[in-house]
Amino acid sequence: MKRGCCSSRQPITDHAFTVTYDSENHFQVLFQCWGSVWPRVLPYCLFNVILAAILHYSKDGERHDYGYTGKGHSLLTMIVSFLLVSRIGVSYGRYCQVRNSLEKVITSSQQLIHLMSVFTSDNITQNGKEFRHDMAFLTMTQVRCIMCVMDYQNDKVASWDLPEIDPQIAVKLREQLFLNDKTKAFAHHSWISKCEENMRVPIRLALLLRKQIMSQSKKLE
């Protein structure tokens, strides 16, 4: 199962970019080029190896024995246990944060649809019905795209390829993304991935939703 991380930086252009990796392939996680900790950890590893080699070859029998005692294992066990518990706590905290944020999104979407239906309930014309229908559909589309962003690492399905997306909205999204040749020149770096552009879809849909709300003065006349 693949995961993603957005905290790494490309050393040449110093731009942040998404790092994808396969959590089942430990060799790839350790030795991948981007997003690896080896450039920072390797100097300390080399220093420890050189120091251990010097102590090993400089010992003189029982007179100068620079061996290791068993006390370090108990300390190492305590440190590893602390790190394991802290990492589990961080992972669970992130899960709860994402869950609470998703709950807020769904609640806010429901309230937006309800309020828009109540405030425009006096308008029973065809334009009013279409306006309420478009508002509800666009709001639910945004929630569906947010779920698509969260599931992209497993499903590999972009938001503009979802069957629930309106074809006109999908065309607008493809025109505004940095994956096509017309808009690629405006990107801040050339390492644009489909995963990164998929994360921008909910933001673009939020803009379309605001435009839809502002159009009520013309559609509800």
Side-chain angles (χ1 to χ4, degrees):
M1 182 172 56
K2 291 189 177 181
R3 302 292 183 187
C5 178
C6 298
S7 60
S8 298
R9 290 186 175 272
Q10 209 275 346
I12 299 177
T13 59
D14 197 27
H15 288 304
F17 69 103
T18 303
V19 177
T20 58
Y21 58 91
D22 189 356
S23 59
E24 297 180 356
N25 190 345
H26 301 288
F27 184 82
Q28 179 184 357
V29 174
L30 291 175
F31 296 99
Q32 65 181 358
C33 183
W34 307 121
S36 176
V37 297
W38 273 110
R40 298 182 180 180
V41 176
L42 188 59
Y44 297 98
C45 295
L46 294 177
F47 175 77
N48 289 332
V49 171
I50 294 174
L51 181 60
I54 293 175
L55 294 177
H56 176 73
Y57 290 107
S58 62
K59 67 179 182 180
D60 185 12
E62 297 180 354
R63 184 177 180 181
H64 300 287
D65 188 6
Y66 302 102
Y68 300 96
T69 63
K71 296 181 180 180
H73 294 285
S74 59
L75 179 62
L76 182 62
T77 302
M78 183 181 65
I79 295 175
V80 172
S81 302
F82 174 76
L83 293 177
L84 181 61
V85 172
S86 62
R87 292 299 299 175
I88 293 176
V90 170
S91 301
Y92 183 72
R94 291 179 179 177
Y95 168 78
C96 293
Q97 182 181 6
V98 173
R99 183 180 180 275
N100 294 333
S101 300
L102 184 60
E103 183 179 359
K104 292 179 181 179
V105 168
I106 297 176
T107 303
S108 300
S109 300
Q110 292 176 346
Q111 291 179 353
L112 178 61
I113 296 174
H114 292 167
L115 292 175
M116 191 61 62
S117 300
V118 171
F119 291 156
T120 61
S121 59
D122 294 337
N123 192 319
I124 58 176
T125 61
Q126 185 64 26
N127 291 334
K129 295 178 181 179
E130 292 180 357
F131 174 77
R132 287 187 288 270
H133 175 270
D134 294 341
M135 277 292 306
F137 182 78
L138 191 57
T139 303
M140 290 186 292
T141 300
Q142 186 179 23
V143 176
R144 179 64 183 92
C145 290
I146 293 174
M147 294 301 302
C148 179
V149 172
M150 299 176 62
D151 297 335
Y152 181 80
Q153 297 297 335
N154 297 326
D155 300 338
K156 296 301 180 183
V157 178
S159 299
W160 53 86
D161 294 330
L162 290 173
E164 300 92 340
I165 299 296
D166 186 83
Q168 295 180 357
I169 297 178
V171 171
K172 291 182 180 180
L173 291 176
R174 290 190 179 96
E175 292 177 352
Q176 296 171 352
L177 297 176
F178 290 141
L179 295 178
N180 57 67
D181 297 333
K182 294 182 180 179
T183 59
K184 202 176 221 182
F186 299 97
H188 60 279
H189 60 83
S190 59
W191 291 277
I192 297 292
S193 63
K194 193 175 181 179
C195 178
E196 288 179 311
E197 288 302 287
N198 190 40
M199 295 179 184
R200 295 179 61 242
V201 171
I203 302 176
R204 305 302 304 178
L205 288 178
L207 178 60
L208 295 178
L209 186 59
R210 291 187 178 97
K211 290 182 178 180
Q212 181 69 18
I213 296 174
M214 293 302 297
S215 66
Q216 61 176 330
S217 59
K218 296 180 180 180
K219 293 184 178 181
L220 301 180
E221 289 181 352

